[in-house]
Amino acid sequence: MTNRDEALAEIAANILDLETLEARNSDGLDFHELAVWRIKAALEAAFAAGQGTK
């Protein structure tokens, strides 16, 4: 796993409360209802990670 993948997995787990980013071929496991502010926070964290800041 690369640093990028690890950062994305950490963001998914900590901000979006997702167990994994892997497809599990199940609608109940692969589709999630998320508030826009959580999506915004995840995008901001991903951007910061790409900039080398947190």
Side-chain angles (χ1 to χ4, degrees):
M1 187 176 279
T2 67
N3 287 340
R4 178 179 158 242
D5 292 336
E6 290 169 358
L8 292 175
E10 183 179 329
I11 291 166
N14 294 334
I15 297 175
L16 301 175
D17 293 326
L18 300 177
E19 291 179 31
T20 181
L21 291 175
E22 298 296 321
R24 295 180 281 180
N25 300 317
S26 168
D27 287 354
L29 297 174
D30 291 339
F31 290 89
H32 303 274
E33 196 168 310
L34 297 166
V36 295
W37 55 86
R38 287 175 61 197
I39 296 169
K40 181 182 178 194
L43 291 170
E44 289 171 339
F47 181 81
Q51 297 297 311
T53 61
K54 271 200 167 184

